[in-house]
Amino acid sequence: MVTEVVDVGAERDAAADIEDTRFKAAELRALREQALAGPSERATEQQRARGKLTVRERVELLFDPGTFREIERFRRHRASGFGLEDRRPHTDGVVTGWGEVHGRTVFAYAHDFRIFGGSLGEAHAAKIHKLMDLAAAAGAPLVSLSDGAGARIQEGVTALAGYGGIFRRNVASSGVIPQISVVLGPCAGGATYSPALTDFVFMVRDISQMYITGPDVVQSVTGEVISHDELGGAAVHASVSGVASIACDTEEECLEEVRYLLSLLPANNRELPPAVAPSDSPARRVEALLDLVPADPSRAYDMRLVIEEIVDDGEMMEVHATWATNIICTLARLDGHVVGIVANQPYSQAGVLDIHSSEKAARFVQMCDAFSIPLVTLVDVPGFLPGRDQEHGGIIRHGAKLLYAYCNATVPRVQVILRKAYGGAYIVMDSRSIGCDLSFAWPTNEIAVMGAEGAANVVFRREIAAADDPAAARAQRIKEYKKELMHPYYAAERGLVDEVIDPADTRAALIDALGALRHKEAALPSRKHGNLPM
């Protein structure tokens, strides 16, 4: 008979190990809860008193429920001096990680204003650098939720170097993965350049501010007294400077808009934008267009209503909606596929191109091309805005930006000319001569070097002046010019318009054309990069 020998001491040690492991796991949970709660209840109350959500609430709103995975939750700074050695909270004022938005992976970092005012120090920056590198390596979008006071002054030059690392990574990922900046508090000094380098900037009215130098410095240098919002609030950057792509009324609305934007963008430049099963018939005729757009080229109308009639279910996401309003740049879907639409807006300055509208459209075209989003251009343009201010402000240089962006774009490009298309502005608005794949025109189109009235004044100036009845002679010459050079089939006869279409068939024509071009391949010349006008 064999007697089993039991090592009582070993059993006791194993039991102690189990208890120790359970204790360590409980300790970990307590540390996690502490990090999730933030530095103190008082700090949280102060955040709410400013009308702002906490960093954790923002992250929850951005991501699908239960999908966020945080990294470096327990990171602490190693700085000393100015009392920093006595204040070493977990996260060091920034939450980093990834999760899912509509089931697709997205990386994000979010400043926690409750910790050092969300300011950036060495450890804080290292966390962001790591996350940006992970996003680039994974080929997934990057979202930043900014709510910070800039560089951490107590850490000196290391904080500035941290920003440099962010900027370098912003540029390296430009056109590779979508980068979205969401400003949910102060963003000052060097911190503003990261949003400026990204693809989209969101701001919230009354809580977001961006400026290089704050009101106090402005007053001390210039004597001007100005508030934070007047200097760099959401309304200013959405309507005056053009820095903000989209301005919202609340944080909740803002983060929902960010989620919607992400649903329209590919994960990276190697993928196509996500397509959805369409609920809107691709063959739907749009009879409303026959009444929305007046045949008289001098009468205004709202191009947004035209776009809403054409795209799937009338849904679109316009960027810079209140800046450079004479041109519209919007993302939408046609037959379930994402498209970028650039359109003159006759309701604002007759849809003329100027400095700001050229810049706005050029940036949008470039973004769409970077992320394989086909371009639709709706044309109703009387020309470039004349005047000393425009010429001295560099309209030639700025207008060339839009021209360059279109010529450089290799995505499918379809142009539709609704009414007038005059002069250099016609060429710049993605005409066949600069490489658009297909050009359609409504029977109301007028393509010419300039309007008939102006042309008659130039071409027949002497004849009109010498006539017995100059007004009648001028009217006759205008009529002749229109008949000979501005009839709707003149460009079609010369192959510069592929088809003159019934306006009600615009949606179907665009869907058919983009379907045929979906697998378009185009190559640019071998070069390091072009020298685009700046």
Side-chain angles (χ1 to χ4, degrees):
M1 180 176 180
V2 178
T3 303
E4 182 178 355
V5 178
V6 178
D7 189 337
V8 177
E11 286 187 348
R12 189 184 302 114
D13 290 344
D17 285 344
I18 291 173
E19 290 177 2
D20 188 56
T21 301
R22 291 184 184 280
F23 174 78
K24 294 295 184 183
E27 185 180 50
L28 171 62
R29 288 193 294 272
L31 284 172
R32 282 181 172 173
E33 289 173 4
Q34 181 183 340
L36 286 171
S40 68
E41 185 62 34
R42 180 170 177 271
T44 299
E45 289 173 359
Q46 290 175 336
Q47 179 79 352
R48 298 197 192 286
R50 298 183 184 98
K52 300 193 295 185
L53 301 175
T54 67
V55 66
R56 302 292 175 176
E57 291 168 335
R58 290 164 175 170
V59 168
E60 288 176 6
L61 287 170
L62 175 63
F63 290 104
D64 298 343
T67 65
F68 181 66
R69 296 293 177 264
E70 187 174 353
I71 59 173
E72 298 207 3
R73 188 195 312 251
F74 301 129
R75 187 73 177 256
R76 288 173 163 178
H77 71 76
R78 298 175 293 182
S80 61
F82 305 101
L84 284 179
E85 63 273 13
D86 300 323
R87 297 177 59 201
R88 299 181 64 237
H90 292 303
T91 75
D92 199 48
V94 64
V95 174
T96 58
W98 71 88
E100 294 182 359
V101 176
H102 299 299
R104 301 162 67 222
T105 299
V106 173
F107 288 76
Y109 66 88
H111 300 298
D112 190 344
F113 193 82
R114 299 171 300 172
I115 297 176
F116 299 124
S119 62
L120 181 138
E122 181 184 21
H124 184 119
K127 289 180 64 174
I128 296 174
H129 295 169
K130 177 185 285 187
L131 187 89
M132 295 178 78
D133 291 341
L134 285 172
L142 175 70
V143 177
S144 65
L145 306 181
S146 299
D147 186 8
R152 194 172 299 167
I153 298 171
Q154 300 95 318
E155 294 197 32
V157 70
T158 56
L160 297 179
Y163 273 123
I166 293 173
F167 304 156
R168 177 167 58 85
R169 288 168 173 83
N170 284 140
V171 173
S173 291
S174 181
V176 179
I177 57 173
Q179 298 180 84
I180 301 172
S181 297
V182 188
V183 181
L184 300 172
C187 184
T192 59
Y193 286 110
S194 180
L197 290 168
T198 59
D199 301 301
F200 298 91
V201 178
F202 287 75
M203 297 184 74
V204 177
R205 296 179 183 91
D206 299 326
I207 70 168
S208 303
Q209 297 96 33
M210 293 178 70
Y211 35 67
I212 298 298
T213 52
D216 293 341
V217 176
V218 170
Q219 183 177 358
S220 66
V221 174
T222 69
E224 181 183 7
V225 178
I226 190 168
S227 70
H228 290 275
D229 270 346
E230 289 171 334
L231 182 62
V236 169
H237 287 308
S239 302
V240 181
S241 73
V243 171
S245 310
I246 294 174
C248 300
D249 291 326
T250 66
E251 291 191 55
E252 292 85 353
E253 176 195 349
C254 181
L255 292 168
E256 186 58 38
E257 287 290 288
V258 173
R259 286 174 55 85
Y260 180 51
L261 173 61
L262 286 166
S263 75
L264 297 170
L265 298 175
N268 55 65
N269 65 341
R270 301 182 301 278
E271 297 182 7
L272 293 175
V276 300
S279 58
D280 198 347
S281 171
R284 172 171 59 83
R285 278 178 58 83
V286 191
E287 299 288 346
L289 295 181
L290 298 169
D291 300 317
L292 275 176
V293 181
D296 181 353
S298 65
R299 289 180 59 193
Y301 63 94
D302 190 348
M303 183 67 84
R304 285 191 185 89
L305 300 179
V306 173
I307 297 171
E308 288 174 0
E309 290 290 338
I310 293 172
V311 302
D312 290 358
D313 303 309
E315 294 182 356
M316 63 181 192
M317 186 169 202
E318 186 175 356
V319 297
H320 297 295
T322 57
W323 178 63
T325 54
N326 42 330
I327 202 159
I328 296 171
C329 297
T330 186
L331 294 170
R333 281 193 169 93
L334 283 170
D335 197 29
H337 295 273
V338 180
V339 296
I341 299 175
V342 179
N344 304 113
Q345 173 58 297
Y347 209 63
S348 175
Q349 294 181 277
V352 70
L353 285 179
D354 60 5
I355 289 173
H356 290 326
S357 61
S358 297
E359 283 191 317
K360 170 180 168 178
R363 174 75 168 165
F364 184 76
V365 168
Q366 185 172 264
M367 183 280 298
C368 288
D369 186 54
F371 294 114
S372 302
I373 299 173
L375 287 161
V376 172
T377 304
L378 304 180
V379 184
D380 192 344
V381 62
F384 281 95
L385 182 63
R388 181 175 63 180
D389 290 344
Q390 288 290 307
E391 296 294 349
H392 290 187
I395 184 60
I396 297 171
R397 175 167 48 87
H398 294 289
K401 294 177 182 178
L402 180 54
L403 179 60
Y404 189 102
Y406 268 127
C407 290
N408 205 47
T410 60
V411 292
R413 293 154 51 188
V414 181
Q415 177 197 51
V416 182
I417 303 168
L418 281 64
R419 295 193 311 186
K420 55 191 176 295
Y422 297 157
Y426 154 68
I427 302 172
V428 170
M429 289 296 291
D430 205 19
S431 63
R432 283 300 304 272
S433 59
I434 66 168
C436 94
D437 298 295
L438 290 168
S439 176
F440 300 127
W442 287 8
T444 47
N445 82 83
E446 292 183 353
I447 306 173
V449 175
M450 63 178 67
E453 291 79 5
N457 289 338
V458 173
V459 177
F460 307 111
R461 181 178 67 253
R462 292 180 180 176
E463 178 183 329
I464 292 171
D468 293 336
D469 186 346
R474 183 172 181 273
Q476 179 61 30
R477 287 304 189 183
I478 289 173
K479 182 178 179 181
E480 291 175 1
Y481 186 85
K482 285 185 175 181
K483 181 179 179 181
E484 292 296 324
L485 296 176
M486 294 182 66
H487 65 80
Y489 304 99
Y490 185 85
E493 291 171 358
R494 285 151 182 81
L496 297 174
V497 165
D498 292 288
E499 187 179 0
V500 179
I501 62 172
D502 182 337
D505 292 331
T506 302
R507 170 178 164 82
L510 286 171
I511 289 173
D512 287 346
L514 292 170
L517 295 167
R518 188 150 295 130
H519 302 292
K520 171 188 173 182
E521 292 185 5
L524 293 171
S526 177
R527 59 187 177 187
K528 185 175 181 180
H529 57 73
N531 186 19
L532 72 162
M534 301 293 283

